Amino acid sequence: MRAATWPREEPLEERLLVVDPANGLSAVVVSVDPDAPRLCRVRFDRDGAPLFRALYAAGRPIQYAHVAKPLPLWLVQSTFASRPWSFEAPSAGRPFTWSLLARLSEHGIATTCVTHAAGISSTGDDALDRRLPFPERYSIPEVAVRAIETARARGGRVVAVGTTVTRALESAALVHGALAPGDGEATLVLGPGYRPRIVDGLFTGMHARGTSHFALLEAFAPAALLTDAIAHAESAGYLEHEFGDSCLVLPHAL
């Protein structure tokens, strides 16, 4: 386990950055990472709903080399998406359609939601990628805390849909000593040797060994077992990376 920290930054004389001339959206660059000049902090000329409207009009989703065609915005948002905080889609949750959620409810499986600002998973710069993940903002509503407490009281298990949900819940518990509602910044980087306090298992994508996501899975299962599982998935034709297939990691069932 280690803590995620923001990159070292050097303030500089603010430089104007025109993001979308057609809509008048602009920003100023206020600091730059001296070790990775591609990484900078900007301040937009607006905030709130006007900023999100402008970003939706000017921006486009992150594109992946393993996906042949450009991705439309609707395709990278999960069924239950709400606040547009994330750089990338929480792809583990893509199989969860409304019909599937309804069937889970029919079988007595309760679901609840948290918001987590999933950061970028790769920058294209190996040196910078080794510093990932950076701190990520989260918001845990009181209704989610009550749902988890109810599940625990009934002897149920808490299964997080995605590594982002896992990181939010475990980071909040680390800060408060127990799971509590509220907003915060996830700085916890899970990995081998960490004993989860809230999450019993997770539904996750296929993550290659050597990635930060694979290391997080080692908090739930041994690396050798995960490696064997990935090898089996590859031989069976399952897909890794974003928009690939998902699997369930439930240590108590092993």
Side-chain angles (χ1 to χ4, degrees), residues 38-254:
R38 294 173 55 197
L39 188 64
C40 59
R41 189 183 297 271
V42 302
R43 183 176 66 248
F44 287 100
D45 62 358
R46 65 199 75 177
D47 57 18
L51 173 60
F52 284 121
R53 283 196 294 267
L55 291 176
Y56 268 78
R60 62 185 180 89
I62 290 176
Q63 305 296 311
Y64 303 100
H66 63 281
V67 178
K69 297 181 179 180
L71 298 168
L73 181 60
W74 63 267
L75 188 60
V76 302
Q77 292 181 312
S78 61
T79 301
F80 37 83
S82 58
R83 286 165 285 184
W85 284 5
S86 297
F87 275 97
E88 295 190 84
S91 55
R94 286 178 56 78
F96 285 78
T97 61
W98 287 117
S99 60
L100 176 57
L101 292 172
R103 291 201 300 273
L104 291 175
S105 179
E106 291 169 358
H107 286 79
I109 300 174
T111 57
T112 190
C113 292
V114 302
T115 301
H116 186 95
I120 191 169
S121 60
S122 176
T123 65
D125 182 320
D126 290 341
L128 188 55
D129 284 353
R130 284 193 290 271
R131 296 158 60 183
L132 297 176
F134 296 138
E136 296 169 336
R137 184 182 177 191
Y138 65 80
S139 179
I140 301 175
E142 185 174 347
V143 65
V145 175
R146 288 201 303 267
I148 291 172
E149 290 174 343
T150 299
R152 291 279 193 211
R154 293 176 177 173
R157 290 181 291 196
V158 177
V159 178
V161 179
T163 55
T164 53
V165 173
T166 305
R167 192 179 186 210
L169 294 176
E170 294 295 329
S171 290
L174 186 66
V175 170
H176 301 289
L179 187 60
D183 297 351
E185 195 171 74
T187 58
L188 176 64
V189 180
L190 292 89
Y194 178 80
R195 185 177 180 83
R197 306 175 64 174
I198 306 299
V199 178
D200 299 307
L202 74 158
F203 196 79
T204 180
M206 305 288 180
H207 301 298
R209 187 161 189 170
T211 64
S212 60
H213 290 84
F214 184 95
L216 185 151
L217 298 183
E218 291 185 71
F220 295 89
L225 180 60
L226 294 169
T227 300
D228 288 345
I230 291 295
H232 170 75
E234 290 176 345
S235 66
Y238 289 94
L239 302 178
E240 295 182 24
H241 306 298
E242 291 78 10
F243 305 101
D245 294 295
S246 296
C247 64
L248 179 64
V249 181
L250 250 178
H252 294 180
L254 298 177

Side-chain angles (χ1 to χ4, degrees), residues 9-36:
E9 296 176 335
E10 288 187 351
L12 73 167
E13 184 178 349
E14 294 184 351
R15 302 173 184 174
L16 179 64
L17 173 68
V18 179
V19 180
D20 183 22
N23 292 304
L25 178 63
S26 64
V28 291
V29 179
V30 298
S31 60
V32 174
D33 186 311
D35 301 319

